[in-house]
Amino acid sequence: STDLTSTVGYDSIIQHLNDGRKNCKEFEDFLKERAIIEEKYGKELINLSKKKPCGQTELNTLKRSLDVFKQQIDNVGQGHIQLAQTLREEAKKMEEFREKQKLHRKKIELIMEAIHKNRNLQYKKTMEVKQMCCCLLPYGALLHLSSLPQFWQLFLKLAQTKSALEDSDRGYQQNITALEKIREEWQKEHIKACEFFETQECERISYFRSALWLHVNQLSQGCVQNDEKYEEIRKSLEMCSIEKDIDFFVNLRKTGSSAPAPVVYENYYNTQRNMTHMRSPVTVPISRRGPLPTPTSGPGDPDYATIDGYSLI
């Protein structure tokens, strides 16, 4: 500003820096809130995997797949809890960065506040001395316009004030010199302060951008890790064999390898009847159905087994 005592430009810079600090605080609070959500979600997943029944009576390969499924869901929950801790650490780093910038900037602001105060005081003092000199000058002009009696009265006043006028003039010149020195010092410090503030703002934007980039990478990494855990479930399901599970159940619950014999008729009414006329027992063939077909998937079909067009999952 052309006004020597104006701080409009400086105040605008300080306001912008305070807004930047506020923006960092908002992102810091965002990370903390996200950490609370992630931790709560992770704990809920762990509780779900441990407490909620899921195929307790299944056997063999499908049971192993379900065990892997519940374990990996538990691992996903643990991953979300770990992510919550990571987010809290990043929020703490943002807070430390923000407070560090505030502390460094406060030193510069105190220097500028002192030099602004000194500049304004010197300017006010200089203007007061200047005004005093302006008030004393008309006495010399009145000598040419006054009558003889008035002349001697004014002459005496002029003689009395001449010394004061000279002192005031010298003081005015000294104050002007002092003010110029202070102005040059203020301008120098102002430039240094602006350069420092610009450096801080560059650091803040760079740090903010990096923090946001890191946050997105952490979320992306969490998704990748979750997908790896889900891949373990898919691999386990690929090892699930329908035929093996059926055979396992049969072998586990089988009660014997022979079918019950036919019930033979016994004549309790006529014991003399020729027993040769009784129906001969017929041997019932015992057979089991052949092995189940191996699940296959055609090109473009989903990656799960089907039998005769019916999905097993």
Side-chain angles (χ1 to χ4, degrees), residues 256-268:
S257 57
S258 300
V263 178
V264 179
Y265 170 78
E266 296 183 21
N267 186 1
Y268 295 101

Side-chain angles (χ1 to χ4, degrees), residues 237-255:
L237 290 173
E238 288 177 352
M239 300 299 296
C240 178
S241 170
I242 301 171
E243 182 178 1
K244 288 181 180 180
D245 285 4
I246 296 298
D247 289 341
F248 181 85
F249 170 76
V250 170
N251 292 327
L252 180 68
R253 301 298 184 185
K254 65 183 179 181
T255 56

Side-chain angles (χ1 to χ4, degrees), residues 56 63 88 109 119 129 138 142 151 169 197 199 222 243:
Q56 292 187 40
K63 176 177 174 54
R88 289 192 179 95
E109 290 179 8
R119 178 199 63 186
V129 174
L142 289 175
F151 173 82
D169 186 64
F197 293 152
T199 300
E243 182 178 1

